[in-house]
Amino acid sequence: MSDFLGIYKRIALQFLLLLGCFFMSRAIFTLLQYHYFEGITLSKFLLIAFAGLRYDISAIFAINSIYFLALLSPFPKQKPILMKKALNVFFIVSNTVAFLFEISDWAYFPFNQKRSTADVLDMITRRGDFTNQLFSLLIQYWYIPFSCALFTFLFICTNKAIIKATPSTKAAANLFKRTTSFFLLIVIGIIGIRGGLQYVPIGIRNAVEATENQFVPIVLNTPFSILTTINNNKLEEEKYFDDETLKQYINTDKQYQHSTFEAKNVVILILESYSKEFTGLGGMKSYTPFLDSLMQHSFVCTNAFANGYRSAEGIPAILSGIPSIQQEPFTTSPYGTNRITTIVNLLSQKGYSSAFYHGGTNGTMSFDLFAKNAGFQRYVGRKEYANDKDYDGVWGIWDEPFLQYCNKDISTNLKEPFVASIFTISSHPPYKVPTAYQSALPKGTLPIHQPIAYTDLALRKFFNSASRQKWYRNTIFVIVADHCSPLSEDDYYHYHQGRFAIPLVYFSPNDTNLKGSFNELTQQIDILPSVMDYLGYQEHFFAFGNSIFSTAQNRYTIQQWSGNQLWTLNNYFLRCAYQKPDGLFDAQNDKLCSNNLLKDKDSIRQLTLNHLLAFRQAYNEAMIHNKLWIK
């Protein structure tokens, strides 16, 4: 065999090896996440896997283009033996790293229900976060490092066998053949990376052309998803309606008619992973007896939803009314430094002091940076707490002592009126509670149940302590989840709209009128206008959401899920894949989305879609032109 034919055979066999690796990973990924892919069958999977070849080939060429071109280079190689060894190492390392991301998505997918995109690179390089959690994550998801090690071993062994089966000799093709082959490979590689000869290269959006929305994560692979989103994080202007028509759908200029402003303190308690399912609102066993009891004296939103999957998405939605409909959280997007409207900077104009409390290690998820951009005067984290005997070993300070610290710090260091945001952390993987409570609190049937009960106990003690402070009665408390847990025992809460269902409670000790229930649609981005309306704020301000205390133009919710945008309006739930609707459901009577009304309710589909497109137009314009505030 000549050098020329041997190299081509090697490339072909290595290419098949990589395709086989992607197929095996796709199969294991589907089995592990089987409950997220309702209706998947073996034949369906094989058809999806065949469609996925387009994305696998693109990723393989993108990762290995340098390796393939170096092997076929028509130019003389200096020290060929050393070069061959270096290329073999490069091939092994580059593909092993790519598959580390691919395999890691087996565990990470339930948290965001999409293939990881380029924002995961920010997550693993962010100061403090990844390194602090790495050991506990490796223990909790032990099968991931085991699978990575096994993959690396088998990959190296198989590649050695391929190299052994394709020996090279001194015989070589002439320069013309080598040069022709080299440029032919360039052409094939470009077509492969682009995913074909179409005008625009394929991206993650094209996956909806291959299969139904819910199966898009199976079509894609993680290396492709990351590579194609690295430089694809900027929004584009979208123009569907003129300005006057746009305001009929969504008006971001808010002003409420009040005669006086009531300078109440505002305390926003943001509860980690507190799904509605775990509370008395969920219709299942509750693990939040204190929160349930507090609801009896509060104004409770029974139909409330989160606007994102992750804490980094929940915080901007709650404090600044910005939902997560980009490929990455607002805080790490190109628009993260935009001037924004927040509860804090609006109330600072009224003389409010402010503090953001988060028991995590300073720098975690860049909350300290967002708090500064939001206008908080102080950020209090694990560093300021300064007592690591209460450190949980992974995320930060246990909720019980930290909430007691918050109560004391508010009473000592915040001048009334004030706005304080407190973010709990203990109901987060790896789902641990302090040793003293491991037998005292109900374990439940999911790993998260006991940490939920622990945070509820911490809330009880916080309110007991706060109720003895002079500021307590002149305060409105907003209690809300940052997002839902990926763990669930009910199909409704596991996916579809219920995957975003959260508790949202407004409580003020001295306001006997702030009781009862609000049963209309509401979401995290409604908190900002609702608080300002409740306090009697009279000036204009920017907000995507609507106050629950005033008649709204429209009641809606918006989320992004696995590449789809979800829009609920007037009890209809629209699922839209990059502006193309593929599902319309009766949100009230068809919670499992089993009856697609897309073809039967054309007028409703168009009305709901128009609202979504109007929101996208307003959102993109505000982001691109830095108009998330009113001058």
Side-chain angles (χ1 to χ4, degrees):
M1 180 186 299
S2 72
D3 223 11
F4 178 73
L5 293 177
I7 289 174
Y8 257 100
K9 183 177 179 181
R10 176 181 302 182
I11 289 176
L13 290 175
Q14 289 175 329
F15 205 96
L16 289 174
L17 169 63
L18 293 170
L19 285 177
C21 291
F22 275 117
F23 177 82
M24 289 302 300
S25 177
R26 182 175 281 113
I28 296 171
F29 170 82
T30 305
L31 287 172
L32 290 174
Q33 318 301 339
Y34 181 79
H35 49 284
Y36 288 102
F37 304 123
E38 186 179 8
I40 191 71
T41 61
L42 178 58
S43 59
K44 183 74 175 178
F45 168 77
L46 292 175
L47 287 173
I48 294 172
F50 180 76
L53 285 173
R54 188 184 188 192
Y55 303 90
D56 298 346
I57 291 171
S58 177
I60 290 171
F61 271 117
I63 296 166
N64 295 280
S65 57
I66 294 175
Y67 172 75
F68 291 151
L69 290 173
L71 279 181
L72 283 175
S73 172
F75 307 108
K77 298 179 177 65
Q78 301 296 324
K79 300 181 179 180
I81 296 177
L82 184 61
M83 175 65 75
K84 288 178 181 179
K85 289 183 178 180
L87 285 176
N88 287 337
V89 171
F90 180 81
F91 178 77
I92 292 294
V93 171
S94 59
N95 286 286
T96 299
V97 170
F99 274 95
L100 290 180
F101 285 101
E102 170 74 15
I103 294 171
S104 296
D105 248 4
W106 298 355
Y108 190 54
F109 176 80
F111 292 93
N112 57 7
Q113 294 190 21
K114 68 172 185 177
R115 288 286 187 168
S116 293
T117 49
D119 61 312
V120 75
L121 301 177
D122 175 76
M123 181 188 74
I124 64 176
T125 57
R126 192 182 297 133
R127 176 167 49 94
D129 292 11
F130 187 70
T131 53
N132 289 339
Q133 305 163 40
L134 182 59
F135 180 74
S136 63
L137 290 174
L138 292 176
I139 297 298
Q140 183 177 5
Y141 300 103
W142 58 268
Y143 58 91
I144 297 300
F146 174 80
S147 299
C148 289
L150 181 61
F151 165 81
T152 302
F153 174 75
L154 294 176
F155 186 72
I156 291 174
C157 290
T158 308
N159 187 60
K160 281 185 177 179
I162 289 173
I163 293 173
K164 187 175 181 181
T166 55
S168 58
T169 66
K170 294 182 179 179
N174 61 42
L175 180 61
F176 175 77
K177 283 186 177 181
R178 295 202 310 269
T179 304
T180 302
S181 301
F182 180 76
F183 285 104
L184 179 61
L185 180 64
I186 291 177
V187 173
I188 294 173
I190 291 173
I191 295 173
I193 292 173
R194 296 181 83 261
L197 295 172
Q198 70 287 339
Y199 182 69
V200 179
I202 59 171
I204 57 176
R205 295 185 176 191
N206 296 90
V208 298
E209 300 171 355
T211 187
E212 299 93 323
N213 280 327
Q214 64 266 35
F215 303 134
V216 162
I218 303 178
V219 173
L220 296 171
N221 63 72
T222 302
F224 174 87
S225 185
I226 292 174
L227 290 171
T228 54
T229 55
I230 287 177
N231 295 313
N232 190 30
N233 52 4
K234 289 190 176 182
L235 298 171
E236 297 179 359
E237 294 253 22
E238 297 182 11
K239 189 73 173 180
Y240 304 104
F241 309 100
D242 58 55
D243 292 344
E244 289 303 314
T245 304
L246 183 65
K247 288 183 179 179
Q248 296 175 18
Y249 291 112
I250 178 169
N251 186 0
T252 57
D253 184 351
K254 299 294 192 297
Q255 184 181 34
Y256 299 107
Q257 300 302 316
H258 295 283
S259 57
T260 59
F261 177 80
E262 188 176 5
K264 278 192 169 187
N265 307 310
V266 178
V267 174
I268 302 172
L269 286 154
I270 304 171
L271 309 179
E272 171 68 51
S273 302
Y274 248 61
S275 303
K276 179 180 178 180
E277 173 185 0
F278 306 144
T279 73
L281 298 172
M284 303 177 70
K285 181 177 179 180
S286 173
Y287 293 88
T288 60
F290 171 71
L291 183 57
D292 296 345
S293 67
L294 187 67
M295 290 182 197
Q296 305 305 312
H297 309 280
S298 307
F299 193 52
V300 181
C301 298
T302 61
N303 203 19
F305 296 88
N307 291 109
Y309 275 118
R310 295 172 286 182
S311 301
E313 298 168 335
I315 299 299
I318 293 166
L319 297 176
S320 56
I322 300 175
S324 179
I325 62 171
Q326 302 182 59
Q327 288 297 330
E328 57 185 314
F330 166 75
T331 51
T332 58
S333 76
Y335 313 102
T337 57
N338 280 14
R339 179 175 176 179
I340 57 178
T341 300
T342 70
I343 295 174
V344 186
N345 58 31
L346 290 177
L347 292 181
S348 67
Q349 299 170 14
K350 297 292 186 179
Y352 276 60
S353 61
S354 58
F356 186 103
Y357 298 91
H358 176 228
T361 301
N362 295 53
T364 296
M365 289 178 278
S366 300
F367 284 165
D368 51 350
L369 299 180
F370 177 77
K372 185 175 182 179
N373 191 28
F376 283 98
Q377 296 167 354
R378 296 178 61 231
Y379 177 87
V380 179
R382 175 185 167 197
K383 178 181 177 181
E384 288 73 20
Y385 185 83
N387 187 356
D388 268 2
K389 74 179 183 64
D390 296 324
Y391 177 49
D392 65 8
V394 181
W395 279 100
I397 307 303
W398 293 110
D399 284 347
E400 181 189 3
F402 190 73
L403 288 180
Q404 292 301 305
Y405 173 89
C406 292
N407 172 63
K408 183 178 179 181
D409 190 82
I410 289 172
S411 303
T412 305
N413 295 317
L414 289 187
K415 179 183 177 181
E416 294 189 70
F418 62 78
V419 54
S421 176
I422 304 173
F423 186 20
T424 69
I425 64 171
S426 293
S427 47
H428 191 286
Y431 303 126
K432 300 190 300 182
V433 300
T435 304
Y437 292 110
Q438 290 177 2
S439 300
L441 293 172
K443 292 185 180 298
T445 53
L446 294 174
I448 195 173
H449 283 157
Q450 191 173 54
I452 290 289
Y454 169 69
T455 298
D456 184 73
L457 179 145
L459 281 177
R460 179 189 297 276
K461 294 187 175 183
F462 170 80
F463 274 91
N464 285 342
S465 299
S467 65
R468 297 191 290 269
Q469 307 302 319
K470 64 182 182 64
W471 53 263
Y472 176 76
R473 294 193 61 79
N474 188 42
T475 301
I476 177 173
F477 295 87
V478 182
I479 305 170
V480 62
D482 63 336
H483 58 78
C484 290
S485 168
L487 304 180
S488 174
E489 293 184 305
D490 183 270
D491 284 346
Y492 171 66
Y493 294 111
H494 206 69
Y495 34 72
H496 305 304
Q497 191 186 26
R499 179 64 177 80
F500 298 90
I502 58 171
L504 174 52
V505 178
Y506 295 85
F507 168 68
S508 184
N510 69 347
D511 188 350
T512 57
N513 294 318
L514 193 64
K515 292 182 181 179
S517 60
F518 181 79
N519 301 319
E520 297 182 51
L521 277 176
T522 188
Q523 55 192 324
Q524 289 170 331
I525 65 173
D526 292 339
I527 293 174
L528 185 155
S530 297
V531 168
M532 304 316 295
D533 189 11
Y534 176 81
L535 295 176
Y537 190 82
Q538 301 161 4
E539 288 77 18
H540 288 269
F541 64 94
F542 181 97
F544 286 117
N546 297 296
S547 169
I548 64 171
F549 300 112
S550 293
T551 302
Q553 186 177 10
N554 299 295
R555 297 287 182 198
Y556 69 91
T557 65
I558 185 170
Q559 297 93 17
Q560 183 150 296
W561 171 74
S562 192
N564 306 301
Q565 287 181 343
L566 313 178
W567 183 271
T568 306
L569 177 75
N570 299 331
N571 289 326
Y572 282 95
F573 173 57
L574 180 73
R575 187 176 62 209
C576 191
Y578 305 108
Q579 307 172 38
K580 181 182 179 182
D582 87 321
L584 180 68
F585 308 95
D586 185 334
Q588 190 69 27
N589 302 309
D590 183 19
K591 292 185 178 297
L592 296 182
C593 300
S594 57
N595 182 24
N596 194 337
L597 304 173
L598 197 64
K599 296 180 180 179
D600 302 330
K601 302 282 186 179
D602 187 65
S603 61
I604 294 174
R605 175 195 64 80
Q606 191 59 50
L607 175 65
T608 311
L609 178 60
N610 284 348
H611 277 272
L612 171 57
L613 295 180
F615 186 93
R616 286 172 56 98
Q617 179 177 328
Y619 182 93
N620 287 14
E621 181 181 352
M623 287 289 174
I624 293 169
H625 299 290
N626 197 7
K627 293 182 178 179
L628 295 164
W629 56 287
I630 292 177
K631 297 179 182 179

